[in-house]
Amino acid sequence: MPFVLKHRASSELFACGLVNRYELPYYGVKDWDDEAAALGERESFLAAREVGDPADWDVVELEEMKLKMANVKLRNDPANRLFLDDGGAFRVVRRE
């Protein structure tokens, strides 16, 4: 299962500009194939994107279908922020 970054205080999933396996750019949730890679790259990944304290972001496991649904919910729009509650429900909020 994939691993993603979830903000500890807000429950926001980390989304950014990415490139898919077909070399097409899209806006989606950053994921890693294994937990060790996610933990190992978390700090440098967030630092490269000038995100505050990397310790505020937890590495969490997300089912493959939930990850796909997360990217659908974002609608390839950087103005959207995606939150995942403890019950597994998504909430999308537009940036102002």
Side-chain angles (χ1 to χ4, degrees), residues 9-81:
S10 70
S11 296
E12 181 177 4
L13 296 182
F14 191 89
C16 60
L18 301 166
V19 177
N20 69 15
R21 63 181 172 193
Y22 304 109
E23 303 295 321
L24 297 172
Y26 72 101
Y27 181 76
V29 174
K30 170 63 177 157
D31 70 287
W32 289 266
D33 289 333
D34 63 80
E35 186 175 23
L39 289 168
E41 295 175 19
R42 174 180 56 184
E43 274 194 44
S44 61
F45 176 80
L46 292 171
R49 283 147 188 86
E50 299 177 351
V51 175
D53 188 358
D56 291 341
W57 294 86
D58 292 326
V59 172
V60 297
E61 191 171 24
L62 192 65
E63 294 176 14
E64 184 74 33
M65 288 307 295
K66 290 289 278 188
L67 176 61
K68 289 179 181 180
M69 183 55 69
N71 287 326
V72 167
K73 295 276 188 188
L74 284 170
R75 305 181 92 190
N76 201 27
D77 186 347
N80 288 331
R81 298 173 64 197

Side-chain angles (χ1 to χ4, degrees), residues 75-90:
R75 305 181 92 190
N76 201 27
D77 186 347
N80 288 331
R81 298 173 64 197
L82 185 66
F83 299 84
L84 178 64
D85 70 21
D86 292 336
F90 291 117

